[in-house]
């Protein structure tokens, strides 16, 4: 039986760390009947946090997918759900999930409102055009404040929230919510909050409910002409259906965001959020056709409708190493996939065989014979596909838009303890790189060290633990190091690199003249140039002074040199290189000679222009009691940090600062010591900035 796509929702749960998203997910699984008991994060029993490391730490490390069913108004809906991490070190898991979702539930802490990582995941959702609804969780928490959290969505995210609920009480007195559309109160009873009781709105909340309902209707009417007309001419004639239609229109257009409230831990409100998923988030047919390009000509745009009879297309968004072979997660955008099918990876022109298809439930799986457009599934049998690759029918190839993967900001050396460990380490690192595109590893021939790089100390620690614990490889690790970058501090015009070599027989001759200058990716885009791996290259050769077949070799030489750096072995970024002149020899010129000429010219040009080191700057958010504000701010200053914002919320001070990553190692422990364990912090990569020359010298000497 064909899947009715109008009854499908592909959604994710995302939030700042500790906002309660996994707890929300566990309640969703329970209320939909997918789980028969509620797993708890604090007990290490959460269904979706099934990794040993996740259960020990009480955090989500990798995204987990499941399928469940929710019945609303006697209609059964198929919900594909992805639970994502909140810690910034694992932001790649959020990134690749957002790429394949149709909608998302963003969870906020009822006391804290919008936090640092809340803004990050919101921007990721913006990048991929994902409609969202908001859930203000933890309304039972001491200090929970719905008004504050609601306004923080408006002010900090700069978006238009649409309240569809308000809480009944807060903290210890929280017991339910008022539905502003029906103007009824709902209370959750039973052992697990599974019984929902509808009552009249308590008298003390009538005024507040009326005020928020007016705001809801006034806001929603901005996005729907029919509701606006009734709002202006006959407000009493506005129906529940009118409001839901307008709110849905706003959410689908990403112009407004429905706001719910509750407490997942106390089993209050999650069922109403599920209703909101059905009411306001899109089904696969309501999102734009998936777009891509022709593999033979990337200038030719293609698209695929979200229908089972269209040519097949899917995106690989996650790979998990499994005892029975790699488990590859796919979002199917168009067409139908049968077990045993043969597909094309148009990125590398390799064929892939689909031996098995699974519907996933965290670590468990149900076998399928086939799947259709709109589904999120996992397959076994792929040999030549990586995260971000497209799979499609051989007859109708298409390459879908790839994902954005952040560059690592921290690295450390890793050394196998025995010869046997050395043999296993290489394969293990390849496996981890396939699973995690934000992880890098390389072998340094000069030092004999293997260098691993990732998004933070926690990221690398978990990689190390996985090598030791799961893969049984003995390793010694060095201290974490910052991943610096090199960039030009000035420009250089028409610098020649000439490679001439005579070896008795045929010689080698290559001659390239380059101009270099600093350039940002946005500046390159404005000029119609492609910034790849930090370098934008332009061919300005005229009158055939260099034959066309040699120009790619010059570019290759430039790019390879930039990758390994000129000053201290760090990759170069934000560089514009223009090939302006050169010469060749009829007999002695070759691609190898022009590659060497490109390398030489680039090194000489960079030396003439001047090179500086860039260091990663982190956005740091510190939450501290006001009594420790002076101590904390002084410590930030001593770390070359700049405080850019400071906000007092009751007795708590929220400090936003920009601090070099090199100064932040071990900061969490230091902060606890400075504040008697009462302060907390989060940080995320912000940008690269030029390192002061004196400090750059110290780095290069180290």
């Amino acid at each position: 039986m064909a899947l009715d796509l109008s009854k499908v929702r592909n959604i994710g749960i995302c939030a700042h760390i500790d906002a309660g998203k996994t707890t929300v997910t566990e309640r969703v699984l329970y209320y939909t009947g997918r789980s028969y008991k509620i797993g708890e994060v604090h007990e290490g029993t959460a269904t979706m946090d099934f990794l040993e490391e996740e259960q020990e730490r009480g955090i989500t490390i990798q995204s987990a997918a499941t399928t469940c069913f929710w019945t609303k108004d006697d209609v059964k809906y198929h919900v594909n759900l992805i639970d994502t991490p909140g810690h910034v070190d694992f932001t790649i898991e959020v990134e690749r999930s957002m790429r394949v979702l149709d909608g998302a539930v963003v969870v906020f802490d009822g006391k804290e409102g919008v936090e640092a990582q809340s803004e990050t995941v919101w921007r990721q959702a913006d990048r991929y055009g994902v409609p969202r609804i908001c859930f203000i969780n933890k309304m039972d928490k001491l200090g929970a404040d719905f008004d504050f959290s609601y306004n923080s969505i408006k002010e900090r995210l700069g978006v238009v929230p649409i309240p569809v609920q308000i809480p009944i009480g807060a903290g210890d007195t929280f017991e339910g919510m008022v539905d502003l559309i029906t103007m009824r109160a709902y209370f959750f009873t039973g052992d697990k909050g599974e019984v929902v009781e509808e009552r009249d709105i308590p008298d003390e909340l009538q005024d507040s409910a009326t005020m928020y309902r007016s705001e809801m209707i006034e806001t929603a009417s901005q996005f729907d002409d029919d509701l606006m007309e009734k709002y202006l001419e006959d407000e009493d004639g506005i129906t529940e259906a009118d409001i839901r239609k307008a709110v849905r229109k706003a959410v689908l257009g990403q112009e407004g965001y429905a706001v719910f409230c509750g407490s997942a831990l106390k089993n209050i409100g999650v069922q109403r959020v599920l209703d909101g998923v059905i009411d306001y988030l899109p089904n696969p047919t309501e999102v734009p056709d998936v777009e891509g390009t022709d593999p033979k000509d990337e200038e030719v745009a293609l698209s695929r409708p979200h229908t089972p009879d269209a040519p097949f297309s899917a995106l690989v968004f996650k790979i998990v190493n499994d005892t029975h072979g790699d488990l590859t997660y796919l979002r199917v955008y168009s067409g139908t996939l049968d077990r045993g099918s043969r597909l094309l990876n148009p990125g590398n022109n390799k064929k892939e065989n689909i031996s098995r298809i699974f519907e996933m439930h965290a670590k468990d799986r149900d076998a399928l014979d086939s799947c259709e457009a709109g589904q999120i599934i996992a397959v076994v049998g792929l040999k030549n596909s990586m995260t971000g690759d497209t799979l499609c029918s051989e007859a109708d190839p298409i390459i879908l838009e790839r994902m954005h993967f952040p560059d690592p900001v921290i690295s450390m050396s890793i050394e196998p303890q025995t010869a046997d460990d050395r043999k296993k380490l290489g394969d293990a690192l390849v496996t981890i790189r396939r699973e995690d595109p934000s992880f890098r590893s390389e072998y340094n021939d000069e030092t004999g060290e293997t260098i691993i790089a990732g998004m933070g100390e926690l990221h690398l620690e978990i990689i190390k633990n996985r090598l030791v614990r799961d893969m049984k490889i003995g390793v010694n690790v060095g201290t974490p190091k910052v991943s610096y970058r090199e960039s030009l501090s000035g420009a250089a015009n028409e610098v020649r690199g000439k490679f001439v070599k005579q070896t008795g027989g045929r010689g080698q001759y290559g001659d390239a003249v380059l101009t270099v200058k600093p350039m940002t990716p946005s500046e390159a885009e404005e000029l119609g140039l492609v910034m790849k791996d930090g370098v934008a290259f332009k061919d300005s050769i005229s009158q055939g002074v260099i034959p066309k077949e040699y120009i790619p070799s010059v570019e290759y030489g430039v790019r390879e040199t930039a990758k390994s750096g000129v000053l201290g072995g760090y990759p170069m970024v934000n560089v514009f290189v223009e090939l302006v002149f050169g010469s060749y020899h009829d007999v002695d010129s070759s691609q190898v000679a022009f590659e060497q000429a490109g390398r030489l010219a680039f090194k000489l040009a960079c030396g003439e222009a001047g090179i500086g080191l860039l260091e990663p700057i982190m956005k740091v958010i510190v939450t501290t009691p006001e009594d420790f504000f002076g101590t904390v701010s002084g410590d930030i200053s001593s770390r070359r940090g700049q405080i850019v914002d400071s906000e007092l919320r009751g007795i708590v001070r929220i400090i936003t600062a920009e601090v070099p990553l090199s100064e932040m190692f071990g900061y969490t422990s230091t902060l606890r010591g400075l504040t008697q364990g009462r302060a907390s912090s989060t940080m995320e990569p912000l940008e690269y900035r030029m390192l002061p020359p004196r400090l750059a010298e110290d780095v290069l000497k180290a």
Side-chain angles (χ1 to χ4, degrees):
M1 182 177 167
L3 188 67
D4 183 353
L5 291 182
S6 68
K7 307 297 188 297
V8 174
R9 300 292 186 272
N10 293 313
I11 67 165
I13 311 287
C14 51
H16 182 90
I17 191 170
D18 289 335
K21 66 195 151 18
T22 299
T23 305
V24 171
T25 305
E26 292 297 319
R27 270 61 184 177
V28 168
L29 298 182
Y30 179 76
Y31 297 131
T32 59
R34 198 52 161 119
S35 297
Y36 297 101
K37 70 173 187 177
I38 297 177
E40 300 290 4
V41 175
H42 58 275
E43 294 174 358
T45 58
T47 304
M48 304 297 274
D49 287 351
F50 56 86
L51 297 179
E52 188 176 350
E53 195 93 36
E54 293 177 315
Q55 294 172 349
E56 288 178 0
R57 295 176 181 269
I59 62 172
T60 303
I61 292 171
Q62 68 172 24
S63 55
T66 188
T67 299
C68 53
F69 300 89
W70 183 245
T71 301
K72 184 177 186 294
D73 300 330
D74 298 322
V75 179
K76 189 176 183 180
Y77 292 86
H78 185 120
V79 181
N80 295 312
L81 175 66
I82 297 179
D83 177 34
T84 65
H87 198 288
V88 67
D89 282 22
F90 312 108
T91 189
I92 183 63
E93 293 287 337
V94 184
E95 186 83 23
R96 57 185 172 188
S97 298
M98 287 295 181
R99 174 63 179 83
V100 300
L101 296 174
D102 297 331
V105 178
V106 185
V107 182
F108 301 95
D109 185 304
K111 179 184 177 186
E112 308 298 339
V114 174
E115 299 175 86
Q117 192 66 5
S118 311
E119 297 182 46
T120 300
V121 299
W122 195 272
R123 290 195 300 270
Q124 288 173 306
D126 281 341
R127 185 182 298 128
Y128 295 111
V130 179
R132 282 140 278 174
I133 61 175
C134 304
F135 179 53
I136 297 177
N137 189 31
K138 298 191 177 185
M139 285 305 304
D140 63 311
K141 187 176 179 180
L142 183 66
D145 186 332
F146 177 82
D147 292 343
F148 165 77
S149 297
Y150 173 79
N151 287 322
S152 75
I153 295 172
K154 188 185 302 182
E155 295 163 5
R156 294 196 165 201
L157 298 178
V159 299
V160 180
I162 305 175
V164 296
Q165 295 177 345
I166 60 170
I168 301 173
D172 293 341
T173 63
F174 177 66
E175 52 182 339
M177 72 281 301
V178 172
D179 187 314
L180 299 175
I181 298 177
T182 63
M183 288 300 277
R184 300 288 291 167
Y186 294 88
F187 297 82
F188 297 76
T189 59
D191 293 338
K192 300 290 190 301
E194 69 275 11
V195 180
V196 184
E197 295 182 7
E198 181 181 326
R199 304 179 198 168
D200 292 334
I201 298 174
D203 292 341
E204 66 272 17
L205 282 176
Q206 284 286 353
D207 289 346
S208 181
T210 301
M211 180 192 72
Y212 267 108
R213 177 180 168 86
S214 295
E215 180 173 342
M216 173 187 67
I217 293 173
E218 183 179 349
T219 304
S221 66
Q222 300 173 32
F223 311 108
D224 187 87
D225 292 341
D226 294 337
L227 183 61
M228 176 64 79
E229 187 175 338
K230 285 189 176 181
Y231 177 63
L232 294 175
E233 298 178 5
D234 180 24
E235 191 170 349
D236 293 338
I238 294 174
T239 66
E240 294 175 17
D242 291 332
I243 299 171
R244 287 197 175 91
K245 171 174 167 281
V247 174
R248 179 175 178 81
K249 189 174 179 180
V251 172
L252 294 186
Q254 299 167 66
E255 296 177 300
Y257 304 89
V259 180
F260 296 76
C261 62
S263 168
L265 186 63
K266 294 298 177 68
N267 309 308
I268 298 176
V270 174
Q271 299 98 313
R272 308 300 291 182
V273 174
L274 276 166
D275 287 344
V277 166
I278 305 305
D279 285 339
Y280 305 123
L281 292 180
N283 65 60
T285 68
E286 293 175 306
V287 298
D289 292 350
V290 64
E291 295 181 346
T293 57
D294 188 331
K296 296 178 182 176
D297 186 355
E298 62 182 20
E299 299 296 320
V300 178
L302 300 174
S303 64
R304 294 282 186 271
H306 300 280
T307 58
D309 55 353
F312 181 82
S313 67
L315 188 76
V316 176
F317 71 94
K318 184 177 173 71
I319 298 172
V320 176
N321 183 249
D322 191 75
T323 52
H324 304 294
D326 284 348
L327 199 62
T328 305
Y329 286 72
L330 305 179
R331 163 65 197 265
V332 181
Y333 284 102
S334 62
T336 301
L337 179 66
D338 297 318
R339 185 160 58 92
S341 296
R342 188 170 173 85
L343 299 174
L344 173 69
N345 181 331
N348 56 25
N349 205 34
K350 297 285 182 67
K351 308 289 178 33
E352 295 278 25
N353 295 310
I354 307 299
S355 58
R356 302 190 73 183
I357 304 172
F358 297 106
E359 188 175 79
M360 298 303 298
H361 176 52
K363 63 180 177 181
D364 300 321
R365 61 192 75 171
D366 297 324
L368 301 174
D369 291 324
S370 65
C371 63
E372 298 177 355
Q375 289 188 262
I376 293 175
I377 49 95
V379 300
V380 173
L382 303 191
K383 305 291 186 186
N384 304 297
S385 298
M386 306 285 286
T387 298
D389 284 355
T390 299
L391 294 174
C392 60
S393 65
E394 296 181 60
D396 295 279
I398 184 175
I399 295 181
L400 304 178
E401 180 190 357
R402 295 187 68 86
M403 304 179 203
H404 168 76
F405 300 133
D407 291 326
V409 296
I410 190 172
S411 63
M412 66 184 184
S413 62
I414 186 166
E415 182 184 3
Q417 293 177 348
T418 67
D420 186 50
D421 290 331
R422 184 176 299 278
K423 291 178 184 177
K424 294 190 291 185
L425 180 61
D427 292 338
L429 294 177
V430 170
T431 297
I432 296 172
R433 285 201 304 271
R434 278 177 56 81
E435 294 183 6
D436 183 355
S438 66
F439 171 74
R440 304 278 197 280
S441 69
E442 63 180 26
Y443 183 75
N444 190 314
D445 290 321
E446 293 182 5
T447 63
E449 292 180 316
T450 297
I451 306 297
I452 61 174
M455 300 306 298
E457 288 181 272
L458 179 60
H459 187 197
L460 293 185
E461 185 182 344
I462 285 172
I463 296 287
K464 183 204 76 172
N465 289 349
R466 187 176 173 197
L467 290 169
V468 174
R469 176 188 290 173
D470 300 339
M471 299 179 173
K472 311 300 182 189
I473 302 172
V475 293
N476 299 318
V477 298
T479 55
K481 296 180 180 179
V482 174
S483 294
Y484 294 97
R485 297 288 185 271
E486 297 179 17
S487 192
L488 298 177
S489 53
N493 296 314
E494 299 186 1
V495 178
R496 172 168 262 115
K498 184 177 284 189
F499 181 76
V500 182
K501 191 174 182 182
Q502 293 292 335
T503 55
R506 179 180 171 181
Q508 295 283 352
Y509 183 94
D511 178 24
V513 179
L514 302 179
T515 289
V516 301
K517 66 177 182 180
M519 180 176 286
T520 64
S522 57
E523 290 171 340
E525 188 176 354
E526 288 176 8
L527 296 172
L529 300 171
V530 178
M531 180 74 75
K532 182 182 177 184
D533 296 329
V535 177
F537 185 89
K538 183 180 181 182
D539 168 23
S540 295
I541 291 295
S542 60
Q543 300 177 348
V545 294
I546 298 177
K548 286 190 179 298
E549 64 263 29
Y550 296 140
I551 291 173
S553 298
V554 177
E555 181 178 357
Y556 179 79
V558 167
R559 293 191 178 279
E560 287 301 299
T561 305
K563 281 182 184 178
S564 57
V566 176
L567 188 64
Y570 303 104
M572 295 198 72
V573 296
N574 298 348
V575 178
F576 170 71
V577 181
E578 184 177 12
L579 177 60
V580 294
F581 198 67
S583 63
Y584 72 102
H585 190 280
D586 288 334
V587 177
D588 292 347
S589 285
S590 66
Q591 292 180 339
V592 171
F594 272 97
E595 179 190 323
Q596 294 301 321
R599 290 178 181 271
L600 180 60
F602 183 65
K603 285 182 179 179
L604 292 171
C606 289
E608 188 173 316
I611 309 172
L613 281 189
L614 300 176
E615 63 174 340
I617 304 296
M618 310 301 286
K619 179 182 177 182
V620 182
I621 310 285
V622 181
T623 303
T624 178
E626 174 67 4
D627 295 348
F628 298 102
F629 172 62
T631 304
V632 172
S633 59
D635 182 66
I636 289 173
S637 298
S638 73
R639 298 171 183 268
R640 296 193 289 124
Q642 298 178 345
I643 295 175
V644 295
D645 189 35
S646 175
E647 178 187 352
L648 186 63
R649 295 185 198 167
I651 61 170
V652 173
R653 176 74 64 172
I654 312 296
I655 304 169
T656 303
E658 298 172 358
V659 192
L661 174 61
S662 60
E663 306 288 346
M664 293 299 292
F665 293 132
Y667 181 67
T668 302
S669 299
T670 302
L671 183 64
R672 282 199 294 265
L674 292 173
T675 62
Q676 301 171 13
R678 296 172 64 189
S680 61
S681 68
T682 63
M683 66 176 180
E684 61 179 279
L686 178 64
E687 63 184 5
Y688 276 85
R689 291 179 190 166
M690 194 68 73
L691 187 66
R694 177 180 57 80
L695 296 177
E697 288 176 12
D698 293 340
V699 171
L700 294 171
K701 287 177 184 175

